[in-house]
Amino acid sequence: MRRTFRKPTWTAAIDRDLSKGVLAYATARSGYRSGAINSAAINPAVITARPERVIDYELGVKADWTLGGVPVRANLAVYSTAYRDIQIQATLPNITLATAPGGPCTQALYDAGQCTGFSNDSVTLNARKARVKGFEFELMARPLHGLTLQASGSYLDARYTDYSFTPPPGYLAPTGTANLSGTRFPLPKWQLNGSILYSRSTPIGLLDLSWHSYWQSRYEADLRSFNPAQATRGYALSDVHLGIDGLFGSRFDVSAAIRNILGKQACVPEPQGVLNSAPNGTFGVAGTSGVLQCMPLAPRQYGVTITYRF
């Protein structure tokens, strides 16, 4: 089986120096993802799925300045994306050989359980459209020699504006499905990062000390027909690292790290299951969509590394 997908993409950008150390820009771009091939399909109607298309608009500012003698860098970007022909994985009843009392299998007869001889096929289809909006920021300051403070974060508002699709010829919609139009992507809205980095020369070698913390909000979920108590929660994790390069003037580097130093319990959704609004055509059928369970992240971990440079 062989298919060729082609589409030209484009980018248009303009930027301007507003003042010394301050740059503003505006960008528009198109994107393209190749169509999908259902290599196992036996129905010609679903051999391929159309390519995905996006058009993205972004405005941003990049600035370097001094605040009370402290060098500061800041970046801010806001964006909006139109997302079309979204490739989704769906399990559809194949009624090519199905029969029902009095004639062919129809959607009404299938929903009533009157059809026989059908099979369930996993196929890739195209939902119609979605829109994605958000912003990102980054701040960095160096208040002391060797000390760097960093903070960054993002906000995401991504929704399926029209998730509907028409089953291809020879297929029907699964019984009891719900339309995801208007629901959010199963992703966290907020993500924040913070770091403290310190580096200086000492009698025993070059010292590097860092602390990094990460926080994200819960995964957005549409829990129609599911148990709201099963929704995922936001979590925060912190890591610390200490390293010495050139230990006592030698070729040895030594480092130690503790991950999840506060011992927080956290988990992330598994791709398939029943908790979260994962994009698939059988959402709403109990036991078929979303997140089956919350996969636990690693507990507190310790590690030491010794490196010899030849």
Side-chain angles (χ1 to χ4, degrees), residues 19 21 41 52 56 183 229:
S19 62
E52 296 182 337
D56 176 67
T183 62

Side-chain angles (χ1 to χ4, degrees), residues 86-111:
I86 307 162
Q87 293 175 14
I88 60 173
Q89 196 72 26
T91 301
L92 304 181
N94 184 338
I95 59 165
T96 305
L97 303 177
T99 59
C105 176
T106 64
Q107 186 71 58
L109 291 172
Y110 175 79
D111 291 342

Side-chain angles (χ1 to χ4, degrees), residues 23 30 85 101 121 129 160 183 195:
L23 172 72
S30 69
D85 294 329
D121 294 353
K129 57 185 178 180
Y160 301 105
T183 62
S195 298

Side-chain angles (χ1 to χ4, degrees), residues 7-253:
K7 182 177 177 63
T9 58
W10 52 267
T11 299
I14 184 172
D15 56 70
R16 180 177 177 81
D17 291 318
L18 300 181
S19 62
K20 184 179 179 180
V22 180
L23 172 72
Y25 67 90
T27 304
R29 62 180 72 88
S30 69
Y32 168 81
R33 181 184 180 189
S34 177
I37 297 177
N38 296 307
S39 57
I42 59 175
N43 187 334
V46 294
I47 288 179
T48 61
R50 296 190 305 276
E52 296 182 337
R53 301 173 291 124
V54 298
I55 296 181
D56 176 67
Y57 305 94
E58 181 179 341
L59 298 173
V61 176
K62 299 178 181 291
D64 291 326
W65 77 93
T66 301
L67 181 64
V70 176
V72 178
R73 170 170 293 175
N75 299 322
L76 174 65
V78 296
Y79 60 87
S80 178
T81 303
Y83 189 4
R84 300 287 187 272
D85 294 329
I86 307 162
Q87 293 175 14
I88 60 173
Q89 196 72 26
T91 301
L92 304 181
N94 184 338
I95 59 165
T96 305
L97 303 177
T99 59
C105 176
T106 64
Q107 186 71 58
L109 291 172
Y110 175 79
D111 291 342
Q114 298 298 307
C115 295
T116 59
F118 65 87
S119 62
N120 290 315
D121 294 353
S122 180
V123 298
T124 301
L125 301 173
N126 295 94
R128 290 188 169 85
K129 57 185 178 180
R131 65 113 172 107
V132 182
K133 297 180 180 180
F135 66 83
E136 299 175 348
F137 72 89
E138 181 181 18
L139 295 171
M140 183 173 65
R142 291 181 175 172
L144 299 172
H145 178 70
L147 177 63
T148 302
L149 307 179
Q150 295 178 335
S152 61
S154 63
Y155 172 79
L156 177 69
D157 181 11
R159 295 175 181 268
Y160 301 105
T161 52
D162 186 352
Y163 190 84
S164 60
F165 61 87
T166 302
Y171 290 92
L172 297 175
T175 301
T177 57
N179 193 332
L180 285 178
S181 299
T183 62
R184 295 182 181 273
F185 283 26
L187 296 168
K189 278 187 187 179
W190 290 95
Q191 298 183 72
L192 299 175
N193 287 276
S195 298
I196 302 174
L197 311 173
Y198 182 68
S199 178
R200 66 168 296 175
S201 295
T202 71
I204 63 173
L206 180 62
L207 173 68
D208 286 305
L209 176 64
S210 66
W211 176 288
H212 176 257
S213 293
Y214 169 80
W215 173 83
Q216 74 170 38
S217 60
R218 69 177 180 86
Y219 277 65
E220 294 298 310
D222 185 323
L223 295 171
R224 286 175 290 181
S225 78
F226 302 128
N227 182 358
Q230 295 175 314
T232 58
R233 302 289 186 265
Y235 64 87
L237 298 175
S238 296
D239 304 329
V240 65
H241 175 270
L242 172 64
I244 300 176
D245 294 343
L247 184 65
F248 293 110
S250 70
R251 295 178 178 270
F252 283 98
D253 300 333

